[in-house]
Amino acid sequence: MRILLTGCAGFIGFHFARRLLQRGDEVLGVDNLNDYYDVGLKEARLAKLVSQANFRFLKGDVADRSLMRDAFKEFQPRRVVHLAAQAGVRYSIKNPETYIDSNLVGFGAILEGCRHARVEHLVYASSSSVYGSNLVLPFSVEHNVDHPLSLYAATKKANELMAHTYSHLFALPTTGLRFFTVYGPWGRPDMAVFLFTKAILEGRPIDLFNEGRMMRDFTYVDDIVEGIERVSHRVPRPDPDYDMRRNHPGLSTAPYRIYNIGNSKPVPLMELVSALEEALGKQATKRMVPMQLGDLHSSDADVAEFERDMNFRPQTSLQQGIRAFVEWYRQYYRI
């Protein structure tokens, strides 16, 4: 199958690209290789993809409308998996324009490309951040998500609304996936697992926000990749029985779906630290700091609908995933 994949040099994009190539798909990977974090890590991921015959790489920004228009016209993808975005909750407070350009303008360019190329399914990354100030756990796709706490979260909510509009107006099948705290080998250096590992090995203190009183639904990257693959094969159809009075945000009379993908087993932040200490064989020096603007206190994914429709739910335990990450980290950085 011919698939256009954005964010191919990113963490999740890289892992999903390898899955597509392993199963024999023809992939056009798009990435701008920006310097939000270590470009060398992105280039190392990309190097493992470009050596394969059925992979083509296009360096560019999804917000470049003419570039994306030409890419769709030339490649003619059957499906699109859109994982490119400016990530990070805290960074969005300091650099809002970057999120507007990448996550809103860029997503608009992807929607237009899919519309005119008559793509049979667009799968795109949303985020658990959209749940914002919602205090009802576990987070369900049936919950209201109209109170985001960061611009990053707001752009992801906007993506879901934009996708629904295109699904309704142009019968473009779209599926949004709300990822929950993804971690694993080749992970992002701005995420807690990576930051904590680096600091512990270097003998520096780790910052525990909200004085460590936080819960996260850590989800291993292989489980995320399996979920994306299953979702990509399940093209949404209009639901003629959809009851507008029930107002389920994840369903529609249009070919549109929203799912949570999470481990559905939230753990306290201190449990993550303990798992890292065990895998590293070294104790962490802990520094308690206040809650940061834009952060969620807890996250917990209700994956009942995802499990029902995809016949799958994430299974990797935190201890298994952390051991795999630490093994990769030591090997990559030759520690």
Side-chain angles (χ1 to χ4, degrees), residues 58 60-74 105 108-110 112-113:
L58 173 63
D61 198 314
V62 292
D64 185 334
R65 293 187 182 92
S66 62
L67 179 75
M68 296 312 301
R69 194 161 45 238
D70 291 344
F72 273 92
K73 184 176 180 180
E74 177 186 349
V105 176
I110 292 296
E112 276 293 282

Side-chain angles (χ1 to χ4, degrees), residues 122-181:
L122 165 63
V123 179
Y124 63 95
S126 186
S127 168
S128 60
S129 296
V130 300
Y131 289 104
S133 59
N134 183 7
L135 298 178
V136 180
L137 296 174
F139 293 152
S140 167
V141 291
E142 294 194 44
H143 291 165
N144 181 286
V145 290
D146 289 338
H147 298 89
L149 300 180
S150 67
L151 183 62
Y152 169 69
T155 62
K156 290 299 184 178
K157 162 71 172 177
N159 288 171
E160 295 177 2
L161 296 173
M162 294 164 72
H164 184 271
T165 303
Y166 271 69
S167 294
H168 172 71
L169 292 176
F170 308 114
L172 170 65
T174 66
T175 303
L177 302 176
R178 294 174 179 170
F179 297 142
F180 280 68
T181 317

Side-chain angles (χ1 to χ4, degrees), residues 304-316:
E305 293 189 15
F306 177 80
E307 182 179 11
R308 179 198 66 209
D309 292 350
M310 307 303 157
N311 193 30
F312 171 76
R313 70 181 296 147
Q315 298 290 333
T316 308

Side-chain angles (χ1 to χ4, degrees), residues 123 128 131 141 175-182 217-221 223-231 258-264 301-303 306 310 312-314:
V123 179
S128 60
Y131 289 104
V141 291
T175 303
L177 302 176
R178 294 174 179 170
F179 297 142
F180 280 68
T181 317
V182 188
D217 197 348
F218 293 100
T219 313
Y220 190 62
V221 66
D223 290 328
I224 291 289
V225 166
E226 179 69 23
I228 298 172
E229 182 176 22
R230 291 182 183 234
V231 166
I258 297 290
Y259 291 105
N260 288 334
I261 300 188
N263 205 42
S264 198
D302 180 341
V303 296
F306 177 80
M310 307 303 157
F312 171 76
R313 70 181 296 147

Side-chain angles (χ1 to χ4, degrees), residues 73-137:
K73 184 176 180 180
E74 177 186 349
F75 190 63
Q76 289 293 310
R78 282 182 57 191
R79 294 180 184 168
V80 173
V81 178
H82 177 55
L83 302 178
Q86 179 56 60
V89 169
R90 298 179 190 116
Y91 190 71
S92 69
I93 298 172
K94 298 179 180 179
N95 300 275
E97 293 89 352
T98 304
Y99 291 76
I100 292 168
D101 292 342
S102 180
N103 299 5
L104 298 180
V105 176
F107 192 64
I110 292 296
L111 287 170
E112 276 293 282
C114 291
R115 168 196 173 190
H116 291 291
R118 299 187 180 279
V119 166
E120 67 181 35
H121 192 192
L122 165 63
V123 179
Y124 63 95
S126 186
S127 168
S128 60
S129 296
V130 300
Y131 289 104
S133 59
N134 183 7
L135 298 178
V136 180
L137 296 174

